[in-house]
Amino acid sequence: MDQPEWWRLERRAARAWPAAETEERDGWLLRHSPSVPRRRTNSALPLPGGTPSIEAVERYYRERGRAVCVQVSPAEAHTGLDAALAARGYRRDAPMLILTAPTSAVAGEAPTVERVGDRSCWPEVFGGLDERLTSVEVVLRMPEPVAFFAATAGGEPAGMGVFVVDDGYAGVFCMVTRPGLRRRGIASQVLAAGAAWAEGEGARCLYLQVEEDNPGARALYARHGFTLSHGYHYRISG
């Protein structure tokens, strides 16, 4: 049976940003990462065409000592589930948008951006740009082919992004620019360099997640031809 496009994107994203434990049952893609605090690797995603059991997902996370976190994606396809979770006291959190763009429309030369080393560079480069250092554990689990691109200014990291290719698509993750250097085209350069690499790896399309309430980032991606695939948010137990 053909799967909806939103599900193919979510499956690629789940593989590109992998949880320590993943399984499908009771109508859910269940994800758990004991030493990683991030929502995405510790949340349940409803499977297409099924009836996810709220009782089962509550049991799964409570057995692991975690708050129950559901990624309601796509939000427009799961209004009933969303209402049921809200009725049980689950709070709504972190509304996000999934955007896509043809790789060829984004790819370009970016001479001031370089592909940087291997995964061992992650703490130094990303940590120099954003104090909210994303877990090295997740980065080490990212599947190949994966590439890290960084722009520099004055010999210091100015911006970076991570690109993971899977089945003709490339996920764009951890796009960040040093706060004092924003609005200088650094993110555009990183996108262009990463897209050119991804195109060479056979990726026809890029996808990424962006916060719904981040107008600056949304405007940047719109300029590069990204359009909306779907939206999602989390529901988290009290």
Side-chain angles (χ1 to χ4, degrees), residues 165-178:
V165 172
D166 177 11
D167 189 28
Y169 280 66
V172 183
F173 297 91
C174 300
M175 287 288 296
V176 60
T177 301
R178 187 186 296 279

Side-chain angles (χ1 to χ4, degrees), residues 3-12 24 29 45-48 74 230:
Q3 299 290 346
E5 179 61 22
W6 68 263
W7 175 245
R8 291 196 292 267
L9 284 173
E10 290 290 357
R11 288 290 289 175
R12 292 183 183 103
E24 293 185 18
L29 174 66
L45 180 68
L47 299 173
H230 60 279

Side-chain angles (χ1 to χ4, degrees), residues 16-18 113-127 129 133-151 159-165 171-176 189-191 193-195 197-198 201:
W17 193 259
V113 176
E114 295 183 355
R115 184 176 177 182
V116 291
D118 57 23
R119 298 163 202 253
S120 64
C121 72
W122 180 255
E124 178 182 356
V125 177
F126 192 90
L129 294 167
L133 182 62
T134 299
S135 173
V136 175
E137 177 184 324
V138 176
V139 173
L140 292 175
R141 286 198 299 265
M142 283 181 168
E144 295 287 349
V146 58
F148 303 78
F149 286 87
M160 79 167 297
V162 181
F163 298 77
V164 184
V165 172
V172 183
F173 297 91
C174 300
M175 287 288 296
V176 60
Q189 294 172 23
V190 172
L191 272 176
W197 170 82
E201 294 289 332

Side-chain angles (χ1 to χ4, degrees), residues 49-218:
T51 304
S53 167
I54 296 177
E55 291 77 12
V57 77
E58 289 178 339
R59 185 167 55 252
Y60 176 86
Y61 285 107
R62 285 172 183 162
E63 286 174 353
R64 289 157 178 78
R66 299 199 75 107
V68 186
C69 182
V70 174
Q71 183 186 342
V72 184
S73 180
E76 53 271 26
H78 293 290
T79 55
L81 173 63
D82 193 50
L85 292 168
R88 294 169 85 100
Y90 283 63
R91 63 181 172 86
R92 189 176 187 271
D93 192 43
M96 305 287 290
L97 303 175
I98 303 292
L99 309 180
T100 63
T103 309
S104 59
V106 182
E109 293 185 8
T112 61
V113 176
E114 295 183 355
R115 184 176 177 182
V116 291
D118 57 23
R119 298 163 202 253
S120 64
C121 72
W122 180 255
E124 178 182 356
V125 177
F126 192 90
L129 294 167
D130 193 324
E131 63 183 12
R132 302 166 300 171
L133 182 62
T134 299
S135 173
V136 175
E137 177 184 324
V138 176
V139 173
L140 292 175
R141 286 198 299 265
M142 283 181 168
E144 295 287 349
V146 58
F148 303 78
F149 286 87
T152 59
E156 298 292 330
M160 79 167 297
V162 181
F163 298 77
V164 184
V165 172
D166 177 11
D167 189 28
Y169 280 66
V172 183
F173 297 91
C174 300
M175 287 288 296
V176 60
T177 301
R178 187 186 296 279
L181 298 176
R182 289 173 183 162
R183 301 185 185 279
R184 300 187 186 183
I186 291 171
S188 293
Q189 294 172 23
V190 172
L191 272 176
W197 170 82
E199 190 172 36
E201 294 289 332
R204 306 178 304 278
C205 184
L206 302 176
Y207 68 90
L208 54 81
Q209 298 114 3
V210 63
E211 295 89 349
E212 189 176 286
D213 62 355
N214 188 339
R218 291 175 62 179

